Coordinates of all heavy atoms in Angstrom, one line a residue:
Chain A
Y679 N 131.1 115.5 102.9 CA 131.0 116.7 103.7 C 130.7 116.4 105.1 O 131.2 116.9 106.1 CB 130.0 117.6 103.1 CG 129.9 119.0 103.7 CD1 130.7 120.0 103.2 CD2 128.9 119.3 104.6 CE1 130.6 121.3 103.8 CE2 128.8 120.6 105.2 CZ 129.7 121.5 104.7 OH 129.6 122.8 105.3
A680 N 129.7 115.5 105.2 CA 129.3 115.1 106.6 C 130.4 114.5 107.4 O 130.5 114.6 108.6 CB 128.1 114.2 106.5
Q681 N 131.3 113.8 106.7 CA 132.4 113.1 107.4 C 133.6 114.0 107.6 O 134.5 113.6 108.2 CB 132.8 111.9 106.6 CG 131.7 110.8 106.6 CD 131.9 109.8 105.5 OE1 132.8 109.8 104.8 NE2 130.8 109.0 105.3
T682 N 133.6 115.2 107.0 CA 134.7 116.0 107.2 C 134.5 116.9 108.4 O 133.5 117.6 108.5 CB 134.9 116.9 105.9 OG1 134.8 116.0 104.8 CG2 136.2 117.6 106.0
A683 N 135.5 116.9 109.3 CA 135.4 117.7 110.5 C 136.0 119.1 110.4 O 135.4 120.1 110.8 CB 136.0 116.9 111.6
N684 N 137.1 119.1 109.7 CA 137.9 120.3 109.6 C 137.2 121.4 108.9 O 136.7 121.2 107.7 CB 139.2 120.0 108.9 CG 140.2 121.2 108.9 OD1 139.8 122.3 108.6 ND2 141.4 120.9 109.3
Q685 N 137.1 122.6 109.4 CA 136.3 123.6 108.8 C 136.9 124.1 107.5 O 136.1 124.2 106.5 CB 136.3 124.8 109.8 CG 135.2 125.9 109.4 CD 133.8 125.3 109.3 OE1 133.5 124.4 110.1 NE2 133.1 125.7 108.3
A686 N 138.2 124.2 107.4 CA 138.8 124.6 106.2 C 138.6 123.6 105.1 O 138.2 123.9 103.9 CB 140.3 124.8 106.4
K687 N 138.7 122.4 105.5 CA 138.5 121.3 104.5 C 137.1 121.3 104.0 O 136.8 121.1 102.8 CB 138.8 119.9 105.1 CG 140.3 119.7 105.3 CD 140.5 118.3 105.9 CE 142.0 118.1 106.2 NZ 142.2 116.9 107.1
R688 N 136.2 121.5 104.9 CA 134.8 121.6 104.6 C 134.5 122.6 103.6 O 133.8 122.4 102.6 CB 133.9 121.8 105.8 CG 133.7 120.6 106.7 CD 132.8 121.0 107.8 NE 132.1 119.8 108.2 CZ 130.8 119.7 108.6 NH1 130.1 120.8 108.6 NH2 130.2 118.6 108.9
E689 N 135.1 123.8 103.8 CA 134.8 124.9 102.9 C 135.3 124.6 101.5 O 134.6 124.8 100.5 CB 135.5 126.1 103.4 CG 134.6 127.2 103.9 CD 135.3 128.3 104.6 OE1 136.2 128.9 104.0 OE2 134.9 128.6 105.8
A690 N 136.5 124.0 101.5 CA 137.1 123.7 100.2 C 136.2 122.7 99.5 O 135.9 122.9 98.3 CB 138.5 123.1 100.4
L691 N 135.7 121.8 100.2 CA 134.8 120.8 99.6 C 133.5 121.4 99.1 O 133.1 121.1 98.0 CB 134.5 119.7 100.7 CG 133.8 118.4 100.2 CD1 134.7 117.7 99.2 CD2 133.5 117.5 101.4
A692 N 133.0 122.3 99.9 CA 131.8 122.9 99.5 C 131.9 123.7 98.2 O 131.1 123.7 97.4 CB 131.3 123.9 100.6
R693 N 133.1 124.3 98.1 CA 133.4 125.0 96.9 C 133.4 124.1 95.6 O 132.8 124.4 94.6 CB 134.7 125.8 97.0 CG 134.5 127.2 97.7 CD 135.7 128.1 97.3 NE 136.9 127.7 97.8 CZ 137.4 127.9 99.1 NH1 136.6 128.6 99.9 NH2 138.5 127.4 99.5
V694 N 134.1 123.0 95.8 CA 134.1 122.0 94.7 C 132.6 121.6 94.4 O 132.2 121.6 93.2 CB 134.9 120.8 95.1 CG1 134.9 119.8 93.9 CG2 136.3 121.2 95.4
A695 N 131.9 121.3 95.4 CA 130.5 120.9 95.2 C 129.7 121.9 94.5 O 128.9 121.6 93.6 CB 129.9 120.5 96.6
H696 N 130.0 123.1 94.9 CA 129.2 124.2 94.2 C 129.6 124.3 92.8 O 128.7 124.5 91.9 CB 129.5 125.5 95.0 CG 128.6 126.6 94.7 ND1 127.3 126.6 95.2 CD2 128.7 127.7 93.9 CE1 126.6 127.6 94.7 NE2 127.4 128.3 93.9
A697 N 130.9 124.2 92.5 CA 131.3 124.3 91.1 C 130.7 123.2 90.3 O 130.3 123.4 89.2 CB 132.8 124.2 91.1
W698 N 130.7 122.0 90.9 CA 130.1 120.9 90.2 C 128.7 121.1 89.9 O 128.2 120.8 88.9 CB 130.4 119.6 91.0 CG 130.2 118.4 90.1 CD1 129.1 118.1 89.4 CD2 131.1 117.3 89.9 NE1 129.3 116.9 88.7 CE2 130.5 116.4 89.0 CE3 132.4 117.1 90.3 CZ2 131.2 115.3 88.5 CZ3 133.1 115.9 89.9 CH2 132.4 115.0 89.0
S699 N 128.0 121.7 90.9 CA 126.6 121.9 90.6 C 126.3 122.9 89.5 O 125.4 122.8 88.7 CB 125.9 122.3 91.9 OG 125.9 123.7 92.0
A700 N 127.3 123.8 89.4 CA 127.2 124.8 88.3 C 127.4 124.0 87.0 O 126.7 124.3 86.0 CB 128.2 125.8 88.5
L701 N 128.3 123.1 87.0 CA 128.6 122.3 85.8 C 127.3 121.5 85.4 O 126.9 121.5 84.2 CB 129.7 121.4 86.0 CG 130.0 120.4 84.9 CD1 130.5 121.1 83.6 CD2 131.0 119.3 85.3
D702 N 126.7 121.0 86.4 CA 125.5 120.2 86.2 C 124.4 121.0 85.6 O 123.7 120.6 84.7 CB 125.0 119.6 87.5 CG 123.7 118.8 87.3 OD1 123.8 117.8 86.6 OD2 122.7 119.2 87.9
R703 N 124.4 122.3 86.0 CA 123.3 123.1 85.5 C 123.5 123.5 84.1 O 122.6 123.5 83.3 CB 123.3 124.4 86.4 CG 122.0 124.9 86.7 CD 121.9 125.9 87.8 NE 123.0 126.8 88.0 CZ 123.7 126.9 89.1 NH1 123.4 126.1 90.1 NH2 124.7 127.7 89.2
I704 N 124.8 123.7 83.8 CA 125.1 124.2 82.5 C 125.3 123.1 81.4 O 124.8 123.1 80.3 CB 126.3 125.2 82.5 CG1 126.0 126.4 83.4 CG2 126.7 125.6 81.1 CD1 127.2 127.1 83.9
D705 N 126.0 122.1 81.9 CA 126.4 121.1 80.9 C 126.4 119.7 81.5 O 127.4 119.1 81.8 CB 127.8 121.4 80.4 CG 128.3 120.5 79.3 OD1 127.4 119.8 78.7 OD2 129.5 120.4 79.0
P706 N 125.2 119.2 81.6 CA 125.1 117.8 82.1 C 125.8 116.8 81.3 O 126.3 115.8 81.8 CB 123.6 117.6 82.2 CG 123.0 118.6 81.4 CD 123.9 119.8 81.3
E707 N 125.8 117.1 80.0 CA 126.4 116.1 79.1 C 127.9 116.0 79.4 O 128.5 114.9 79.5 CB 126.1 116.6 77.7 CG 126.5 115.5 76.6 CD 126.1 116.0 75.2 OE1 125.3 116.9 75.1 OE2 126.5 115.3 74.3
G708 N 128.5 117.2 79.5 CA 129.9 117.2 79.8 C 130.2 116.6 81.1 O 131.2 115.9 81.3
E709 N 129.3 116.8 82.0 CA 129.4 116.3 83.3 C 129.6 114.8 83.3 O 130.4 114.1 83.9 CB 128.2 116.7 84.2 CG 128.2 116.2 85.6 CD 126.9 116.5 86.3 OE1 126.0 116.9 85.6 OE2 126.8 116.3 87.5
F710 N 128.7 114.2 82.5 CA 128.7 112.7 82.4 C 130.0 112.2 81.8 O 130.6 111.3 82.2 CB 127.5 112.3 81.6 CG 127.5 110.8 81.3 CD1 127.3 109.9 82.4 CD2 127.7 110.3 80.1 CE1 127.3 108.6 82.2 CE2 127.7 108.9 79.9 CZ 127.5 108.1 80.9
L711 N 130.4 112.9 80.7 CA 131.6 112.5 80.0 C 132.8 112.6 80.9 O 133.7 111.8 80.9 CB 131.8 113.4 78.7 CG 130.7 113.1 77.7 CD1 130.8 114.0 76.5 CD2 130.7 111.7 77.3
L712 N 132.8 113.7 81.7 CA 133.9 113.9 82.7 C 134.0 112.8 83.7 O 135.0 112.2 83.9 CB 133.6 115.2 83.4 CG 134.6 115.5 84.6 CD1 136.0 115.6 84.2 CD2 134.1 116.7 85.4
L713 N 132.8 112.4 84.2 CA 132.8 111.3 85.2 C 133.2 110.0 84.5 O 134.0 109.2 85.1 CB 131.4 111.2 85.8 CG 131.5 110.3 87.0 CD1 132.0 111.2 88.2 CD2 130.1 109.8 87.4
K714 N 132.8 109.8 83.3 CA 133.1 108.6 82.6 C 134.6 108.6 82.4 O 135.3 107.5 82.7 CB 132.4 108.7 81.2 CG 132.3 107.3 80.6 CD 131.3 107.4 79.4 CE 131.6 106.3 78.4 NZ 131.0 106.6 77.1
A715 N 135.2 109.7 82.0 CA 136.6 109.8 81.8 C 137.4 109.5 83.1 O 138.3 108.7 83.2 CB 137.0 111.1 81.3
I716 N 136.9 110.0 84.2 CA 137.5 109.8 85.5 C 137.5 108.3 85.8 O 138.6 107.7 86.2 CB 136.8 110.6 86.6 CG1 137.0 112.1 86.4 CG2 137.3 110.2 88.0 CD1 136.2 112.9 87.4
V717 N 136.4 107.7 85.7 CA 136.3 106.3 86.0 C 137.2 105.5 85.1 O 137.9 104.6 85.6 CB 134.8 105.8 85.9 CG1 134.7 104.3 86.1 CG2 134.0 106.5 86.9
E718 N 137.2 105.8 83.8 CA 138.0 105.1 82.9 C 139.5 105.2 83.3 O 140.3 104.2 83.3 CB 137.8 105.5 81.5 CG 136.6 104.8 80.9 CD 136.1 105.4 79.6 OE1 136.7 106.4 79.1 OE2 135.0 105.0 79.2
K719 N 139.9 106.4 83.5 CA 141.3 106.7 83.9 C 141.7 105.9 85.1 O 142.8 105.3 85.2 CB 141.5 108.2 84.1 CG 141.4 109.0 82.8 CD 142.7 109.3 82.2 CE 142.7 110.0 80.8 NZ 141.5 109.9 80.0
A720 N 140.8 106.0 86.1 CA 141.1 105.3 87.3 C 141.2 103.8 87.1 O 142.0 103.1 87.7 CB 140.0 105.6 88.4
Q721 N 140.4 103.3 86.2 CA 140.4 101.9 86.0 C 141.7 101.5 85.3 O 142.2 100.4 85.6 CB 139.2 101.5 85.1 CG 138.3 100.6 85.8 CD 136.9 100.5 85.0 OE1 136.8 101.2 84.0 NE2 136.0 99.8 85.5
S722 N 142.2 102.3 84.5 CA 143.4 101.9 83.7 C 144.6 101.9 84.6 O 145.6 101.4 84.3 CB 143.6 102.8 82.5 OG 143.6 104.1 82.9
D723 N 144.5 102.6 85.7 CA 145.7 102.6 86.7 C 145.5 101.5 87.6 O 144.5 101.4 88.4 CB 145.7 104.0 87.4 CG 146.9 104.0 88.3 OD1 146.9 103.3 89.3 OD2 147.8 104.8 88.1
A724 N 146.4 100.6 87.6 CA 146.2 99.3 88.4 C 146.0 99.6 89.9 O 145.1 99.1 90.5 CB 147.4 98.4 88.2
K725 N 146.9 100.4 90.4 CA 146.9 100.6 91.8 C 145.6 101.3 92.2 O 144.9 100.9 93.2 CB 148.0 101.5 92.3 CG 149.2 100.7 92.7 CD 150.3 101.6 93.3 CE 151.5 100.7 93.6 NZ 152.7 101.5 93.8
L726 N 145.2 102.3 91.5 CA 144.0 103.1 91.8 C 142.8 102.2 91.7 O 141.9 102.2 92.5 CB 143.8 104.3 90.9 CG 144.4 105.6 91.4 CD1 144.2 106.6 90.3 CD2 143.8 106.0 92.7
S727 N 142.8 101.4 90.7 CA 141.5 100.6 90.4 C 141.4 99.6 91.6 O 140.2 99.3 91.9 CB 141.6 99.9 89.1 OG 142.6 98.9 89.1
V728 N 142.5 99.1 92.1 CA 142.3 98.2 93.2 C 141.8 98.9 94.4 O 140.9 98.5 95.1 CB 143.7 97.5 93.5 CG1 143.6 96.7 94.8 CG2 144.1 96.6 92.4
A729 N 142.4 100.1 94.6 CA 142.0 100.9 95.8 C 140.6 101.3 95.7 O 139.9 101.3 96.8 CB 142.9 102.1 95.9

Side-chain angles (χ1 to χ4, degrees):
Chain A
Y679 188 83
Q681 288 159 11
T682 310
N684 185 314
Q685 194 54 39
K687 286 180 188 169
R688 280 183 151 222
E689 245 169 58
L691 192 63
R693 274 202 295 275
V694 181
H696 196 73
W698 197 305
S699 89
L701 173 66
D702 177 64
R703 221 164 32 238
I704 296 158
D705 184 13
E707 191 173 348
E709 180 187 10
F710 175 68
L711 294 176
L712 170 66
L713 195 79
K714 202 168 155 196
I716 293 177
V717 173
E718 274 164 10
K719 293 263 177 332
Q721 243 165 2
S722 57
D723 183 290
K725 268 190 185 160
L726 269 178
S727 70
V728 171

